[in-house]
Amino acid sequence: MIPYNGFVDINQLIASRLRELRLAHGLTLAELAERSSVSRSNISLIERGESSATATVLDKLTGALGVTLASLFEPPLAESSPVSRRHDQIVWTDPDSGYARHNLSPSTYSPIQLVEVSFPAQQRVAYDTSMRNLDMYQQVWIIDGTMDITVGNTLWRLEAGDCIGMRLDQPLTFHNPTDDPARYLVALVSQQHKPPRREE
């Protein structure tokens, strides 16, 4: 387990958490590769902290593991606290689109996870959430700007103050169609937020 003191190499945190989650599910690299459609070599690079995986790749991996994307950004269990201080909250930026995920939730167990997202102008991110074997629901509340959110085959344009709810069982696309950045809050609820951690 990597040390956590409020400042962390995000790729090393993802590497540690991905390996921990894979082993907790009793999966080899090859088995996770088959389940996720992400190559074994790519998973190996991510687990060694040698690759900055995109949001789409991480979504495929967490979907195959039956956990939320936010699970990859949780601090070690030893640091578990019911309070999440702003200066300790982990921010991850997608190397492909530049969108930034700000994990708001404390590290103690909860079926609810909150994430603040800053989404650059004219960018798009697509997820194949139909892969998930986890019963998961999500609400998105637009704080600033405009977002086009496509759930399955239905496109919704959301402005500041609008909120959309969905079950994550079909393809999902986020697109900022404007020349200004957008910001929104994501609330996730799942039946299984965390698999059991392996004993060290």
Side-chain angles (χ1 to χ4, degrees):
M1 185 67 67
I2 63 172
Y4 178 80
N5 60 359
F7 299 95
V8 67
D9 182 316
I10 193 66
N11 286 335
Q12 290 300 321
L13 176 60
I14 292 171
S16 176
R17 289 291 292 133
L18 179 60
R19 183 174 186 274
E20 181 182 17
L21 289 164
R22 176 176 63 80
L23 293 177
H25 283 79
L27 297 175
T28 65
L29 287 170
E31 289 169 337
L32 180 55
E34 183 177 358
R35 286 191 182 191
S36 65
S37 299
V38 176
S39 72
R40 183 186 184 281
S41 60
N42 196 2
I43 297 172
S44 180
L45 286 172
I46 296 168
E47 287 195 0
R48 295 200 304 268
E50 298 174 3
S51 174
S52 298
T54 66
T56 301
V57 168
L58 294 181
D59 182 69
K60 288 181 179 180
L61 292 171
T62 54
L65 290 167
V67 298
T68 63
L69 185 59
S71 299
L72 291 179
F73 309 108
E74 294 171 344
L77 190 59
E79 299 294 333
S80 180
S81 169
V83 177
S84 174
R85 304 293 184 188
R86 184 71 175 184
H87 62 274
D88 288 333
Q89 293 165 0
I90 292 172
V91 180
W92 174 78
T93 301
D94 177 24
D96 196 19
S97 67
Y99 101 87
R101 293 176 54 93
H102 194 130
N103 272 38
L104 303 177
S105 295
S107 55
T108 50
Y109 171 77
S110 173
I112 303 169
Q113 291 173 309
L114 298 178
V115 178
E116 180 184 344
V117 174
S118 297
F119 209 97
Q122 299 295 334
Q123 293 299 311
R124 181 189 306 268
V125 175
Y127 301 109
D128 185 11
T129 56
S130 59
M131 292 175 55
R132 296 193 180 276
N133 57 8
L134 178 67
D135 195 19
M136 187 183 304
Y137 296 84
Q138 175 173 283
Q139 292 188 16
V140 177
W141 177 52
I142 308 299
I143 301 171
D144 295 307
T146 300
M147 289 295 298
D148 284 346
I149 299 180
T150 303
V151 184
N153 296 318
T154 305
L155 169 65
W156 304 90
R157 173 154 294 184
L158 302 179
E159 308 284 351
D162 294 343
C163 185
I164 184 172
M166 66 200 77
R167 181 179 180 185
L168 298 182
D169 59 355
Q170 53 192 318
L172 178 62
T173 300
F174 291 83
H175 174 224
N176 182 347
T178 74
D179 294 327
D180 298 306
R183 189 164 61 98
Y184 55 88
L185 178 70
V186 179
L188 288 158
V189 177
S190 60
Q191 288 185 342
Q192 180 185 347
H193 170 54
K194 296 181 184 176
R197 292 181 183 264
R198 299 177 73 246
E199 294 295 330
E200 297 296 333

